[in-house]
Amino acid sequence: MKRRVRYLVERVVTRPGMLMLSFAMACLFFIAVVAALTYVLTPADARDTAQIVWQSMRHVIDPGATEDDTERTWPYRLVMLLTAVGGIFVIGAVVAVLTSALYNRIELVRRGRTPVAVSGHTVVLGWSSQIYTILDEIARAPGRRPRVVILADELSKEEMEDAIRRRPQRQRGPKAGKLRKVTVVCRHGDPTKMEDLEIANVGAAEEILVPRPLGRNPDIRVLMTLLALSHRPWPGERRPVAAVISSKANYEAAKRALDRWPVDRCHVANAGDLTARLIVQSRRYPGLTVACSELVSFEGSEIYRATPVPHRMTYGEALLRCESSLIGFSRPGVAKPIINPPPDTPVEPTDTPLVVAVDSGHVRFRNNSPVQRDLMVEPPPPRPPRVEKTLILGWNDRIATIVQVLDGYVGPGSTVVIIGQGYDRAMLPKTKNIDEPRGYDADPTEPGILVAAHREEEYERSAADPETQGLIPVDPTTFDSVIVLAGDEDDSHVDAKALTTLLLLQAIKEERQARFSVICELEEEASRRLARGIQVDDLVLGQQVVSTLAVHYAKNPGRLEMITVVEEWLDARDTDLYFEPAADYVRLGVPVTWATVVAAAARRQHTAIGYVVHDQRLSEKDGYGVHLNPAKSVRVTYQERDQIIVIANRPDGNDDQDSGSG
């Protein structure tokens, strides 16, 4: 019996609601007992029931009320004294219970477990290393003042709020545009649980983002979150969802997890595949990362639908009559947009032009812009793909895609050497133009792996001597280009070895006066600032581009075909984005209108959308030299190493040649 009573008491104590109810009933019972005794001890002619109850309650609540009992009888005084003593315990217990309940409520708010009551907000499910990029991009999106609710269980509410308060402020560039203040609300919850999704009020959200979360196996967390969203009851219209998947193997699974969503209201970005393609393209054209980042961002120029042409005209005529950079058009009944068609392709008033512009509201078609045909040069003869030697330093799960895409651009007989911890030959694909890749399981930052800056310098080898697996010190100066990959995503210092490798390569380049190009992949924006003093040809922040792309789609679900166009430009087939020498189009050293460049590119069936100033490629304030969508009347004097950004089609049936050279 004693154990049973103890068990019942423990159940009551551990349930705050029941505990408060029990003490409230005990307090009322105690007052009732005191009132009954007082009633009995009060003379019959002075019995006022309401007054007796009031006096009893006063004695329970206030022990000092016994001072008013001096004229009463001693039995009455004794009962009131016992009442005051008992009231101390009752009121003390009630205060303790109320304090505990209030503390629990405050703790619930502090932990971020209370539901939000906002609507029309952006929900971010999971804390990501790219959260600052996401918030910056949302701040640039058009519309009302943005509100963001972050639901994550990787960090506590206080840690998330502190990280956002201390986030690094990005320097405003020439194309930054207006940055509005973002209202951020952090909540602690598991996005993979449907009941926790209600904390973020996903049903009233304007859009939902599922970025790559922190920790091991991020794709598993994303897939479970998508399943929770899919199976959650949606009485109204499902909100647009954009998710980021790291591995190509999980891409189809993520799309299946969203099979209940309308096709035009969900999008899965394949971060691993897109980053790998971006690395290869940046190796070919340093600076291409900046151009792609601008095209998929609310910062600078984007791809928009424009007003239809006033009458039937050819694509070549439309290129010169459009105020912005025309890239193609979408046609009723045709699923995919028509990008970079031949100049004689007719454009009908029923077609929807696609343009690269700062704002879709000011795109107009006017009279032809003046073309300086005397400054146009004859197209150069086709250049065959070059036989290239590429050194890859580092290893991650994107290596297979990098080798596969690279194989589509180099000439037969090209070579690839890979040095990275975790190297596994079985993970590499079969190649057509690249000889069988060679690789070594070694850390490129270890002494003796890369040739020292001074040939005579000797290093002490570690116990695991790389020469035991046939590896002699590799000389980067014998390669055309070096690709430095970011490390394991689970590493807390994911970019540390990449930055260390860059320092080693810079020392080698300076000592040997070498000219090999260096492309480095980084995971975090903070690492870009650390790498400012290191001479590299391009820094690829693939995860940043993918996160920006996800925000762009979630905010514009109806523009999916325009966003996927940029993804297709990075692939080794169909239409590509190229950086071609300005000397291939116009004369150098003299002012040339942009309309002249557009006309010269159209002769080669290329669509020009911008140019790159080589002398500005290291200047952040100049946008790293990338200038998209110049006005047709702008005059620029191009120099020897300046380039034109063009869209061009790959040769039919030959994915192994570089169509940008023909």
Side-chain angles (χ1 to χ4, degrees):
M1 184 65 182
K2 182 179 180 181
R3 294 179 61 184
R4 183 172 180 81
V5 172
R6 181 182 296 175
Y7 171 71
L8 292 176
V9 172
E10 289 176 351
R11 287 194 60 186
V12 171
V13 171
T14 55
R15 299 175 64 182
M18 289 296 298
L19 186 62
M20 291 187 63
L21 180 62
S22 300
F23 274 108
M25 294 178 63
C27 186
L28 291 175
F29 178 75
F30 186 68
I31 293 173
V33 171
V34 172
L37 291 174
T38 305
Y39 185 84
V40 172
L41 295 173
T42 302
D45 56 348
R47 290 174 180 172
D48 185 348
T49 305
Q51 184 66 22
I52 289 173
V53 173
W54 172 253
Q55 286 293 113
S56 301
M57 188 172 64
R58 280 189 61 202
H59 283 82
V60 171
I61 297 175
D62 183 13
T66 56
E67 295 179 358
D68 300 334
D69 300 334
T70 55
E71 298 180 358
R72 300 281 185 169
T73 62
W74 278 105
Y76 182 90
R77 293 181 188 180
L78 183 60
V79 170
M80 291 301 105
L81 178 61
L82 295 176
T83 300
V85 174
I88 292 175
F89 290 98
V90 172
I91 298 303
V94 170
V95 170
V97 171
L98 289 174
T99 303
S100 177
L102 181 60
Y103 173 80
N104 291 336
R105 176 57 59 179
I106 294 175
E107 182 67 13
L108 189 65
V109 174
R110 187 184 67 81
R111 290 175 52 210
R113 297 291 297 173
T114 55
V116 298
V118 298
S119 60
H121 54 293
T122 301
V123 174
V124 180
L125 299 178
W127 185 265
S128 171
S129 61
Q130 299 298 319
I131 193 67
Y132 304 140
T133 298
I134 293 172
L135 294 178
D136 287 341
E137 194 61 24
I138 292 175
R140 295 187 179 94
R144 62 183 182 181
R145 178 176 174 176
R147 293 177 293 182
V148 179
V149 175
I150 302 174
L151 179 67
D153 61 353
E154 292 89 349
L155 301 176
S156 66
K157 178 177 180 290
E158 293 92 338
E159 290 173 328
M160 289 187 282
E161 291 175 344
D162 184 61
I164 292 174
R165 279 194 299 267
R166 295 186 296 105
R167 64 172 174 163
Q169 298 297 323
R170 292 181 61 184
Q171 295 185 358
R172 290 178 58 84
K175 310 168 188 176
K178 184 179 180 181
L179 279 170
R180 294 170 299 165
K181 185 177 180 181
V182 180
T183 302
V184 182
V185 179
C186 298
R187 288 293 183 266
H188 184 78
D190 189 351
T192 65
K193 297 179 180 179
M194 285 187 285
E195 56 270 20
D196 282 6
L197 291 177
E198 303 312 312
I199 296 176
N201 197 14
V202 294
E206 186 173 335
E207 59 270 334
I208 302 171
L209 288 169
V210 188
R212 190 191 71 177
L214 301 176
R216 295 181 179 274
N217 302 318
D219 284 358
I220 301 301
R221 298 277 298 172
V222 173
L223 291 174
M224 293 178 65
T225 301
L226 295 181
L227 287 174
L229 284 171
S230 184
H231 291 286
R232 174 194 177 276
W234 291 85
E237 187 179 36
R238 291 177 179 257
R239 306 303 178 187
V241 174
V244 177
I245 285 290
S246 300
S247 174
K248 187 176 182 180
N250 298 318
Y251 180 69
E252 290 299 327
K255 294 180 67 175
R256 286 184 175 274
L258 292 172
D259 58 357
R260 298 188 181 187
W261 243 264
V263 178
D264 61 343
R265 297 182 71 82
C266 64
H267 181 65
V268 179
N270 188 343
D273 185 70
L274 188 60
T275 301
R277 287 186 274 159
L278 193 59
I279 291 171
V280 174
Q281 295 286 28
S282 297
R283 170 197 167 277
R284 300 171 63 227
Y285 306 116
L288 184 136
T289 304
V290 179
C292 289
S293 298
E294 183 173 342
L295 288 171
V296 302
S297 169
F298 293 110
E299 178 180 1
S301 299
E302 308 168 46
I303 301 178
Y304 290 100
R305 296 188 183 96
T307 55
V309 295
H311 54 81
R312 191 174 191 266
M313 65 180 67
T314 65
Y315 179 70
E317 293 173 337
L319 283 172
L320 295 176
R321 297 190 61 176
C322 182
E323 292 179 335
S324 300
S325 297
L326 183 68
I327 63 172
F329 55 88
S330 58
R331 176 162 289 172
V334 180
K336 295 184 64 175
I338 302 172
I339 304 298
N340 186 43
D344 57 355
T345 302
V347 181
E348 306 290 345
T350 56
D351 297 334
T352 303
L354 301 179
V355 299
V356 175
V358 176
D359 187 0
S360 61
H362 300 87
V363 179
R364 297 288 185 273
F365 287 87
R366 295 183 176 178
N367 295 330
N368 286 346
S369 302
V371 176
Q372 301 165 294
R373 300 196 176 275
D374 58 320
L375 299 181
M376 297 168 57
V377 300
E378 290 298 320
R383 305 185 187 96
R386 294 192 306 124
V387 177
E388 301 183 34
K389 297 179 64 178
T390 305
L391 174 63
I392 301 178
L393 301 178
W395 182 269
N396 55 37
D397 56 4
R398 294 177 285 281
I399 193 71
T401 306
I402 291 174
V403 174
Q404 185 178 30
V405 176
L406 182 62
D407 186 59
Y409 289 108
V410 298
S414 298
T415 59
V416 169
V417 176
I418 305 169
I419 302 176
Q421 288 182 305
Y423 170 80
D424 185 0
R425 177 66 184 87
M427 292 183 59
L428 299 179
K430 293 184 178 180
T431 54
K432 181 178 179 181
N433 297 320
I434 298 175
D435 294 341
E436 184 174 354
R438 294 187 297 116
Y440 306 95
D441 185 1
D443 185 352
T445 63
E446 288 291 329
I449 303 301
L450 297 180
V451 169
H454 297 280
R455 291 183 182 273
E456 66 276 7
E457 189 171 352
E458 296 291 338
Y459 292 106
E460 291 184 3
R461 295 296 181 85
S462 59
D465 194 332
E467 289 186 357
T468 60
Q469 50 178 324
L471 173 61
I472 60 174
V474 176
D475 188 356
T477 63
T478 62
F479 292 85
D480 299 298
S481 59
V482 179
I483 298 175
V484 181
L485 300 182
D488 190 348
E489 295 173 357
D490 297 331
D491 191 350
S492 58
H493 301 286
V494 64
D495 293 330
K497 287 191 176 180
L499 294 173
T500 304
T501 305
L502 286 182
L503 291 172
L504 294 175
L505 292 173
Q506 182 176 15
I508 293 173
K509 289 185 72 172
E510 291 177 354
E511 291 292 334
R512 305 288 181 80
Q513 298 297 312
R515 301 190 62 179
F516 59 89
S517 63
V518 178
I519 306 299
C520 180
E521 175 198 12
L522 297 175
E523 289 282 338
E524 300 178 353
E525 172 65 25
S527 300
R528 182 200 286 270
R529 296 191 297 273
L530 296 177
R532 283 178 180 169
I534 306 175
Q535 297 294 322
V536 294
D537 293 271
D538 202 357
L539 293 172
V540 179
L541 279 78
Q543 295 294 339
Q544 186 182 75
V545 175
V546 174
S547 297
T548 301
L549 181 67
V551 175
H552 200 83
Y553 171 72
K555 288 287 187 180
N556 301 281
R559 295 170 59 192
L560 176 61
E561 76 280 2
M562 289 175 279
I563 299 172
T564 53
V565 160
V566 180
E567 295 186 26
E568 293 174 358
W569 286 346
L570 299 176
D571 209 347
R573 58 176 181 266
D574 300 332
T575 305
D576 281 0
L577 193 66
Y578 297 96
F579 286 10
E580 293 289 342
D584 289 358
Y585 300 93
V586 294
R587 288 170 52 187
L588 303 180
V590 294
V592 181
T593 62
W594 179 244
T596 303
V597 177
V598 172
R603 292 199 307 175
R604 298 177 56 184
Q605 199 176 325
H606 294 176
T607 297
I609 63 173
Y611 61 91
V612 180
V613 178
H614 182 266
D615 292 340
Q616 298 175 353
R617 64 189 181 90
L618 299 178
S619 174
E620 184 177 6
K621 70 175 183 179
D622 293 320
Y624 300 100
V626 175
H627 301 269
L628 292 177
N629 185 41
K632 294 294 190 299
S633 58
V634 167
R635 293 175 180 266
V636 179
T637 302
Y638 299 100
Q639 305 300 328
E640 181 66 30
R641 302 184 69 179
D642 292 345
Q643 296 171 303
I644 305 298
I645 306 174
V646 299
I647 304 168
N649 299 328
R650 295 180 62 82
D652 294 336
N654 188 355
D655 284 349
D656 301 330
Q657 293 184 4
D658 190 341
S659 64
S661 60

